[in-house]
Amino acid sequence: MDHNRRSVHLPRTETAPVIRTEFNDAAGWALLMQAMETPITYTEDSQNVSDYEQAISHITLIDQAEYQGILSDAVLAAAPDTGHDLPYDHLYLVDAETYASDDLRLLGIDISVYGFDRFAPFRVPALQVANIEVNDQLGNLSFVEFSDIPWSEIRIHAAGPGTEIFEKFRQINRAKGAPTDRAAPWQS
């Protein structure tokens, strides 16, 4: 089946979706979910929980077989029909290339229309998604302004399992009813 030719319906979510398109790597998907739940900051050795963000607070994970094999062209083809009435103007695909990269680079896709052009899809390390989403929601930078970022030059600090910050976020997530049994493997 040609996944680019079939009709794609973009998910109706309040936040930018992270759509799983590759279902042959369950361990890779679990690792990505851990990355999305990892508290990150740009302030070294901060013990202040308000300095940290989690991507999971700003995105919606979509794990549905109907999106298996979907490519960026199919997403872009669906966007004129649905993109203008969605509360988000971009989304992320989780594909085989995501799982193959050391920093789990998702494919970010701009579905808004600036004039008649869209920005080309670009790769985003999983731990940087929180940064993009927070800045986009605050209006500091739009999603497309991150397309040329040299990710390797942006140092982030992750609160790993056993740290006070990680445990505080685990308690916050537990209060929200989110899963808290996974421990993220990221090191600061």
Side-chain angles (χ1 to χ4, degrees):
M1 170 183 266
D2 184 350
H3 296 288
N4 262 355
R5 299 278 181 228
R6 73 177 189 208
S7 177
V8 174
H9 299 284
L10 299 180
R12 300 278 175 189
T13 62
E14 293 301 314
T15 58
V18 172
I19 303 171
R20 183 180 185 185
T21 67
E22 172 60 56
F23 288 80
N24 293 326
D25 191 343
W29 177 249
L31 190 60
L32 178 72
M33 289 179 50
Q34 290 171 352
M36 297 290 109
E37 296 168 354
T38 298
I40 59 110
T41 187
Y42 298 91
T43 308
E44 191 171 6
D45 298 327
S46 174
Q47 297 303 308
N48 186 347
V49 73
S50 66
D51 287 343
Y52 288 81
E53 285 290 344
Q54 288 179 300
I56 197 73
S57 300
H58 305 283
I59 52 99
T60 302
L61 292 168
I62 306 293
D63 184 11
Q64 297 173 358
E66 69 185 88
Y67 294 107
Q68 182 171 350
I70 296 300
L71 302 174
S72 62
D73 291 345
V75 169
L76 292 171
D81 296 331
T82 58
H84 300 291
D85 63 345
L86 294 170
Y88 54 87
D89 64 358
H90 64 278
L91 55 81
Y92 304 91
L93 297 184
V94 179
D95 56 12
E97 192 172 332
T98 302
Y99 300 140
S101 62
D102 290 339
D103 54 1
L104 298 170
R105 289 184 180 240
L106 294 90
L107 183 61
I109 302 175
D110 169 30
I111 62 167
S112 66
V113 178
Y114 299 96
F116 292 103
D117 296 321
R118 287 195 173 107
F119 283 80
F122 58 95
R123 293 280 169 182
V124 178
L127 289 179
Q128 295 286 358
V129 170
N131 180 31
I132 292 174
E133 294 306 314
V134 168
N135 279 291
D136 186 60
Q137 290 172 12
L138 292 174
N140 293 339
L141 294 169
S142 69
F143 172 75
V144 296
E145 291 178 273
F146 286 92
S147 64
D148 292 329
I149 296 291
W151 296 113
S152 61
E153 296 175 15
I154 300 176
R155 178 112 169 100
I156 59 172
H157 305 278
T163 64
E164 186 176 338
I165 296 295
F166 185 87
E167 294 307 318
K168 284 181 184 177
F169 270 90
R170 184 186 298 251
Q171 291 170 0
I172 291 167
N173 290 339
R174 188 175 292 132
K176 291 179 186 177
T180 59
D181 56 344
R182 289 190 293 266
W186 312 103
Q187 300 297 318
S188 41

